[in-house]
Amino acid sequence: MILPALLTSAGFNIVICVRFFSLYSILRKQPYNLKVYFGQRLAQLQPAQKNHYFFDRLIPSAGWLVKAWEASDDDIYACGGIDGLVFIRLIVFCIRIFSVAAVLCIFIVLPVNLFGQAIDQTSPETQMDIFTIRNVPEGSTGLWAHFFSLYVISVSAYVLVNALLGDKCKASNIKGLY
């Protein structure tokens, strides 16, 4: 395993994410982007922009993220319609599933794979295979970590789908109200 290359790749990805976050934060503050970032309906609902200093519009901020996080289903429905509400719920569902999977895989599965001794780590072709189940020897008790993780992810998906279907009734009631 080439640890410096892995850390360099992770560092580049983090820097790129921070730059895109900052760029979005700056561009959404510009008055000429109001219709792009807020949509036509929102642009009509927005009060007239106050005279902000020019430099205030060039400083990235995370205030928009807090407002987006606190938006209720009724706010989303009013702005984006039922399609927007369903899309946001799908995104939230995916984030929840992948969060469970990421935590399990990072803290349970990855250490089992890294400390397995089934692969000769000297050849360059197998350097990345130490991160996979291939590095766990046959009949090892470490295989149970994989089965346990899959079981927890499956049960979590089942619970989240049932919660989502419970919210489906709420979404259909919202659709019926409007």
Side-chain angles (χ1 to χ4, degrees):
M1 176 173 69
I2 306 171
L3 187 62
L6 184 67
L7 293 177
T8 302
S9 176
F12 278 128
N13 287 327
I14 290 170
V15 168
I16 288 171
C17 287
V18 168
R19 284 189 180 173
F20 277 129
F21 181 84
S22 300
L23 183 65
Y24 174 80
S25 182
I26 291 169
L27 288 177
R28 73 177 297 277
K29 291 181 183 180
Q30 306 307 316
Y32 51 83
N33 286 334
L34 187 66
K35 289 186 179 183
V36 174
Y37 286 102
F38 294 104
Q40 189 170 356
R41 282 192 263 178
L42 284 176
Q44 293 169 355
L45 296 174
Q46 291 287 333
Q49 289 286 329
K50 299 176 185 174
N51 275 337
H52 293 292
Y53 294 108
F54 177 74
F55 292 111
D56 287 342
R57 290 187 276 147
L58 296 177
I59 298 173
S61 65
W64 62 271
L65 194 59
V66 174
K67 290 177 188 174
W69 193 265
E70 294 175 348
S72 68
D73 287 346
D74 294 330
D75 296 337
I76 296 170
Y77 180 79
C79 296
I82 193 73
D83 292 337
L85 181 63
V86 170
F87 180 73
I88 294 296
R89 285 191 177 182
L90 178 69
I91 296 296
V92 169
F93 174 76
C94 291
I95 289 172
R96 289 177 180 163
I97 288 287
F98 288 123
S99 297
V100 170
V103 168
L104 286 172
C105 289
I106 288 173
F107 294 112
I108 295 175
V109 174
L110 188 62
V112 169
N113 291 345
L114 284 175
F115 295 117
Q117 301 296 325
I119 296 177
D120 179 29
Q121 299 175 7
T122 58
S123 69
E125 296 87 28
T126 61
Q127 285 182 347
M128 294 304 286
D129 285 343
I130 63 170
F131 294 113
T132 66
I133 196 171
R134 188 172 164 211
N135 195 31
V136 180
E138 278 188 43
S140 171
T141 57
L143 291 174
W144 285 104
H146 292 272
F147 296 133
F148 172 75
S149 297
L150 288 174
Y151 179 76
V152 171
I153 292 169
S154 299
V155 169
S156 299
Y158 176 76
V159 169
L160 289 172
V161 165
N162 280 336
L164 187 66
L165 291 178
D167 289 343
K168 179 184 171 191
C169 297
K170 184 178 176 185
S172 64
N173 289 341
I174 290 173
K175 185 179 178 182
L177 292 175
Y178 297 100

